[in-house]
Amino acid sequence: MIFDEMQDLKRQRGEVLRQARREAGLSARKLADRINTRTPGSGLTDNAIYAYESGRVLLSREVAERVSAVLNVRLGELLVGDPDFTDAAVQSSGAESGVQASGGNRVGDPACERLHLPVTDLLRTARTLVRMLALPRFELASPAGFLHGFELLASDGRRVLQHDDVASAPRRSPGAAQDAIEQTARAVADLIQHAETEYATLRAAGRSGSCVEACHKLAGTLAERVARLTEAHQHLIERGGLKPGLADAEPATEGDLADVAPWARLEPRLVR
């Protein structure tokens, strides 16, 4: 009987881990790398992740805490069967953070939930642009090749800043969700303002003969602001009681460029 209960516990925790990883859009190797990079502890491998997910090995509290920190999944969801995380404890935790719980299910803040997708789109656009500016294969003598990326960034940023839930945030009752919305809006405004200002510098560098060095510098400063927006977005997810849905909380500038579309070589018109 005890053996059967332990097997069920291994399986249940493994299923939760697998679901959380898939919802984040990460392979087992990428999840292990991210955990090793961002949290202290012994090195994890993709084989270890698969062992937990398959139920061969019980997901320990130490590893669950590291996974929780990386995937923004509540520790109580990962540690099925842990007496420290009864249904009552989980519900109490949700109530303290301003998120209602019923039947063990979290109910996210509606405003944070509505903002999640446009912020996700903005982060994708910003990271794609940063990667293009940073990678040698996209070094251009003229900034015109990057114009479409900057225009998309400005458009996605305005979409967030003009969102009804951003405009109404100051009128909401004070709380963690309101703070997260306002923090996100500030990070978006800073990112867009910096991008528009620096594009003028990029144009000036292009007129002098080459903008390669200016592109690398801009990639670095934009990446810093993307990291700030990423942190704000994570707070939006956590304080709004949302489950992380996409692997968009990653300020890195490297990665698969398959999603990069050809950029139109048009005359600059973003910055007048």
Side-chain angles (χ1 to χ4, degrees):
M1 179 66 70
I2 295 177
F3 176 79
D4 291 340
E5 291 178 355
M6 178 58 68
Q7 290 301 109
D8 286 342
L9 195 60
K10 290 179 181 179
R11 177 183 54 79
Q12 291 172 19
R13 291 188 183 183
E15 289 176 352
V16 173
L17 174 60
R18 182 188 297 111
Q19 181 65 23
R21 175 177 64 79
R22 289 178 175 175
E23 286 183 355
L26 296 175
S27 66
R29 175 173 295 180
K30 285 186 177 180
L31 175 58
D33 289 344
R34 196 169 294 186
I35 290 172
N36 293 334
T37 300
R38 297 184 179 182
T39 63
S42 58
L44 288 172
T45 66
D46 53 343
N47 287 334
I49 298 298
Y50 286 131
Y52 293 129
E53 292 183 351
S54 66
R56 295 197 306 273
V57 178
L58 179 67
L59 181 66
S60 68
R61 182 159 187 157
E62 184 267 335
V63 174
E65 288 175 346
R66 299 173 69 188
V67 171
S68 175
V70 169
L71 294 184
N72 292 321
V73 179
R74 286 202 178 109
L75 193 57
E77 295 182 29
L78 291 167
L79 292 177
V80 177
D82 190 310
D84 289 341
F85 297 97
T86 62
D87 289 342
V90 171
Q91 290 181 11
S92 175
S93 174
E96 290 175 1
S97 63
V99 181
Q100 295 180 346
S102 176
N105 296 324
R106 290 180 297 169
V107 179
D109 181 87
C112 292
E113 191 168 358
R114 287 189 293 266
L115 278 173
H116 174 61
L117 182 57
V119 174
T120 295
D121 290 342
L122 173 60
L123 282 169
R124 284 173 169 167
T125 301
R127 291 194 189 100
T128 297
L129 180 58
V130 167
R131 292 199 299 267
M132 290 184 65
L133 289 165
L135 291 178
R137 74 186 76 177
F138 289 112
E139 289 179 352
L140 301 174
S142 168
F146 297 110
L147 175 64
H148 188 51
F150 279 93
E151 289 181 331
L152 284 175
L153 189 69
S155 175
D156 288 349
R158 286 193 296 269
R159 180 185 171 201
V160 174
L161 295 177
Q162 295 170 359
H163 200 283
D164 290 343
D165 290 304
V166 171
S168 63
R171 300 191 297 271
R172 288 165 53 104
S173 299
Q178 176 200 2
D179 291 343
I181 291 173
E182 293 180 346
Q183 179 186 1
T184 300
R186 288 193 296 270
V188 170
D190 180 54
L191 171 64
I192 301 308
Q193 181 179 7
H194 180 74
E196 292 182 339
T197 300
E198 290 302 307
Y199 187 73
T201 303
L202 206 60
R203 288 179 60 190
R207 286 194 294 269
S208 68
S210 174
C211 64
V212 172
E213 184 176 348
C215 284
H216 288 171
K217 181 179 179 181
L218 179 54
T221 57
L222 278 181
E224 292 174 2
R225 284 160 174 81
V226 170
R228 294 173 194 168
L229 177 56
T230 296
E231 182 179 0
H233 186 220
Q234 289 176 329
H235 290 164
L236 191 76
I237 291 172
E238 295 169 359
R239 298 173 185 177
L242 311 181
K243 293 190 69 173
L246 297 169
D248 55 1
E250 176 67 35
T253 57
E254 73 276 0
D256 185 3
L257 296 178
D259 59 339
V260 177
W263 301 111
R265 292 180 175 274
L266 304 173
E267 286 300 317
R269 59 179 181 275
L270 177 67
V271 180
R272 294 180 175 85

